[in-house]
Amino acid sequence: MVNRVTVLGSLNVDNIMQVKRLPLPGETMTMSAKKIAGGGKGANQAIAAARSGAQTAFIGKVGADEQGRLMKGYLEDAKIDATSVTLATEETGQAFILLQENGENSILVLGGANQAITDDDIEAAKEKITTADFLITQFETPIEASITAFKYAKENDVVTILNPAPAKRVPEALLKNVDLIVLNETETELLTGIKIDAEESWYQAAAKLAKMGVKNTIITLGSKGAYYKTTTAEGFIKAFKVATLDTTAAGDTFLGALSSQLDKALSNIEEAIVFASMASALAVQKFGAIPSIPQLNEVNDALGEANF
């Protein structure tokens, strides 16, 4: 059974600047290299889902510019239905990534066309939502549009997955329609007020999220792994140990790959997390966002070699 995944999200052209470390205030530094690549949390997640075998559709906006044509091309190359990616008067979104030698990154985002998505766009793409198995969104597009999309999804038995990134508070109108939340340590602390610094804090945060109405949670813990808590299962999956070159899109690859493998009841969540963890491990071994996202056969081959 092939999962049908629809992503409401951002499309950004990434400007990747390789630096030894982050500059200090007032300091001028030279870059060792500069690259251009496709990205945006929404695009990354959709391409990860598609490359992992999901039938994927995208809802978003680009500008009438070369960057917009580039981003639509990335989606179409991944065999993603991009008919609900429409033109905005604003320029295509861009991200400026300071990539350090240790593989860590700091990112500045110019929303551009991503911020022009309205309820009218959601209405026009309603069929893409209601016929999906999973609907995914993040916070690089207007929350109001996500609220409308998740409402349509819940009315049609579509499983909703929220990635509250970049980190910000989630309005009740959206939270009440979230089936599964996937968030990192920073996002978890902002949303729950609980600092994720020890194993006990995972349990406390998941319990707090359940009280807030989200009963299924995955907290990604970087190089340590991922903790999950659903209505029927709980556990921790260790991360695969690899040499990290670039963490850009690691979390997005995890989420997109996860959505391609999950069943709608979340009954196979442990197996799906193992798959997603391997996809993410492969991604961090390459530079860039979209260029680093692995194909299904690469993930399966790596899992086979890891004896999973």
Side-chain angles (χ1 to χ4, degrees):
M1 181 71 177
V2 175
N3 281 356
R4 295 165 298 172
V5 176
T6 294
V7 178
L8 164 61
S10 55
L11 295 152
N12 292 330
V13 172
D14 288 346
N15 300 272
I16 306 163
M17 295 161 279
Q18 292 178 237
V19 295
K20 185 172 183 178
R21 55 169 175 78
L22 294 181
L24 300 172
E27 181 182 16
T28 299
M29 289 178 61
T30 58
M31 296 182 289
S32 58
K34 180 179 182 292
K35 296 183 175 71
I36 302 293
K41 296 192 73 62
N44 297 340
Q45 291 168 10
I47 288 175
R51 288 183 182 172
S52 292
Q55 180 182 320
T56 310
F58 199 91
I59 304 169
K61 279 188 177 295
V62 293
D65 48 34
E66 182 58 37
Q67 289 90 345
R69 289 186 286 275
L70 176 68
M71 291 311 303
K72 284 199 75 171
Y74 275 118
L75 297 181
E76 290 163 356
D77 286 347
K79 296 182 171 52
I80 293 170
D81 180 349
T83 55
S84 291
V85 176
T86 56
L87 292 179
T89 56
E90 294 83 355
E91 66 181 301
T92 299
Q94 294 191 64
F96 300 86
I97 301 168
L98 290 174
L99 175 62
Q100 301 174 69
E101 282 186 352
N102 64 4
E104 295 298 324
N105 62 65
S106 298
I107 304 174
L108 298 171
V109 176
L110 176 66
N114 295 313
Q115 293 303 312
I117 298 172
T118 67
D119 282 355
D120 288 341
D121 296 302
I122 303 304
E123 185 67 35
K126 187 174 180 180
E127 185 180 359
K128 300 287 195 313
I129 297 168
T130 59
T131 58
D133 296 311
F134 296 89
L135 173 65
I136 300 170
T137 198
Q138 333 75 34
F139 285 163
E140 288 185 340
T141 52
I143 289 179
E144 294 76 12
S146 297
I147 291 171
T148 301
F150 271 38
K151 177 176 177 289
Y152 287 154
K154 292 310 299 170
E155 290 171 351
N156 290 274
D157 193 34
V158 176
V159 176
T160 56
I161 303 177
L162 175 65
N163 173 219
K168 64 177 70 174
R169 299 207 175 274
V170 185
E172 170 61 26
L174 179 61
L175 206 59
K176 70 180 183 181
N177 285 322
V178 175
D179 291 313
L180 171 63
I181 193 165
V182 182
L183 64 181
N184 65 20
E185 294 145 297
T186 301
E187 294 147 8
T188 303
E189 182 176 354
L190 179 63
L191 195 52
T192 66
I194 297 168
K195 185 173 180 59
I196 305 302
D197 55 4
E199 188 171 329
E200 182 64 25
S201 66
W202 312 342
Y203 313 142
Q204 294 170 349
K208 181 73 173 289
L209 288 164
K211 286 182 180 178
M212 295 166 70
V214 183
K215 294 183 170 52
N216 303 297
T217 296
I218 298 174
I219 302 173
T220 56
L221 302 161
S223 60
K224 293 189 289 292
Y227 164 77
Y228 66 93
K229 175 73 167 69
T230 71
T231 56
T232 59
E234 181 178 21
F236 173 74
I237 304 295
K238 288 184 179 180
F240 294 96
K241 301 302 180 184
V242 296
T244 300
L245 289 179
D246 182 2
T247 59
T248 306
D252 297 331
T253 299
F254 177 94
L255 182 49
L258 180 87
S259 71
S260 76
Q261 303 299 307
L262 269 178
D263 61 47
K264 292 183 67 174
L266 311 186
S267 63
N268 67 335
I269 192 164
E270 181 171 335
E271 293 86 351
I273 290 174
V274 169
F275 180 93
S277 296
M278 180 56 82
S280 183
L282 292 173
V284 302
Q285 296 178 70
K286 296 180 181 179
F287 287 112
I290 289 172
S292 73
I293 299 170
Q295 301 284 348
L296 176 62
N297 66 302
E298 294 177 284
V299 181
N300 283 334
D301 287 349
L303 286 171
E305 292 174 5
N307 297 316
F308 270 85

